[in-house]
Amino acid sequence: LIGMSLFLRLYTTEGTANKGEHITHELPDGSMVQLNAASTISYQPYWWAFEREVLLSGEAFFDVQKGETFSVLSEEGRTTVLGTSFNVFARDKEYQVYCNSGLVEVTSVVHDIHYKITAGELAIIDNVTMTGMKKAMNARDFTSWTENKFSFTDTSLAKVFEELGRQYNIDIEYHQDLSELKYGAYFERPNDANLALDLVCIQFHLNFEKTGNQQYKIFRK
């Protein structure tokens, strides 16, 4: 009995979206998870009836069935709901949660920082500076990826190229002086990386070239 209990408690299922892909994963209670590129979830399916908890690395949109407490745990924070839809971004020390519907509780796993947010609100936790904030935001900026669209608002080119790298599974080389330029646009996600790069580069009069397998270099005209 002890061995069986340990198996039920520890057996883990994973869902992974590699660079360049999005996947949809159904959890044991019918809750749905959309995983953005380069993202992974894991959970204990046989323990689900006792604890609805998902570990996340990366970015995912959750549409949760009503029921007992549902938690998403990342290195930077924990998000807890009963039944709602929300987007979690947990990458490289950044932790952002956007509430699409219902009520969401966001808590730092390092410091005494926590927020309750409702539809249309974003919670940000910065464990490095031990600060956080919540504010009203446009859903498009945080959920457009689920509809295969890009939405950038006053975003540094470093972040833009980082996102394109994930979405198309490419490496982008650029001079450091370009990284802090700000970019804003909303457009359908092209199937081809060249088209996406062209849409970004044209605004700054930049050129790009493919230098190897899945490798690109950005340079000034």
Side-chain angles (χ1 to χ4, degrees):
L1 288 175
I2 294 175
M4 179 60 71
S5 296
L6 285 173
F7 172 78
L8 295 177
R9 182 67 182 91
L10 299 177
Y11 180 81
T12 300
T13 294
E14 287 191 352
T16 298
N18 297 315
K19 285 186 176 181
E21 67 178 13
H22 297 172
I23 68 166
T24 299
H25 189 96
E26 184 174 0
L27 297 173
D29 62 349
S31 296
M32 302 300 295
V33 185
Q34 293 186 61
L35 282 169
N36 205 347
S39 302
T40 299
I41 58 168
S42 62
Y43 58 94
Q44 284 76 46
Y46 298 128
W47 200 254
W48 196 256
F50 304 100
E51 184 177 43
R52 299 197 299 172
E53 183 175 86
V54 176
L55 301 181
L56 168 69
S57 174
E59 183 173 20
F61 183 87
F62 294 84
D63 193 353
V64 178
Q65 293 290 325
K66 290 184 178 179
E68 297 299 321
T69 299
F70 182 103
S71 297
V72 179
L73 183 63
S74 300
E75 288 187 359
E76 299 294 314
R78 176 187 290 271
T79 300
T80 306
V81 304
L82 294 179
T84 183
S85 58
F86 56 98
N87 192 82
V88 179
F89 181 95
R91 299 187 192 274
D92 303 325
K93 304 297 183 182
E94 290 187 56
Y95 194 71
Q96 301 180 10
V97 180
Y98 181 80
C99 181
N100 191 62
S101 65
L103 176 68
V104 175
E105 184 172 4
V106 183
T107 307
S108 168
V109 298
V110 181
H111 304 290
D112 184 22
I113 305 172
H114 53 87
Y115 298 101
K116 287 185 179 180
I117 56 175
T118 57
E121 290 185 320
L122 172 75
I124 302 173
I125 291 177
D126 187 334
N127 286 316
V128 176
T129 61
M130 296 183 290
T131 61
M133 64 182 298
K134 74 172 185 177
K135 57 183 177 179
M137 294 293 291
N138 190 325
R140 189 179 76 178
D141 290 338
F142 302 95
T143 63
S144 59
W145 68 267
T146 65
E147 301 173 346
N148 281 318
K149 296 177 181 178
F150 285 118
S151 181
F152 299 108
T153 302
D154 200 31
T155 306
S156 71
L157 271 187
K159 293 291 185 183
V160 173
F161 289 145
E162 184 179 298
E163 185 63 23
L164 294 183
R166 277 194 292 266
Q167 297 301 324
Y168 295 101
N169 190 22
I170 58 176
D171 293 319
I172 304 173
E173 178 188 349
Y174 56 92
H175 197 277
Q176 190 61 35
D177 67 355
L178 300 178
S179 62
E180 293 306 316
L181 292 174
K182 300 297 185 179
Y183 178 72
Y186 177 70
F187 55 92
E188 293 278 349
R189 180 183 185 275
N191 291 327
D192 187 272
N194 291 281
L195 294 176
L197 284 169
D198 191 50
L199 286 169
V200 174
C201 289
I202 194 172
Q203 183 170 319
F204 302 98
H205 306 290
L206 300 173
N207 274 342
F208 65 90
E209 64 178 352
K210 191 170 184 179
T211 57
N213 185 30
Q214 301 300 97
Q215 295 180 326
Y216 288 81
K217 183 176 182 179
I218 310 295
F219 56 93
R220 297 185 184 276
K221 292 183 179 180

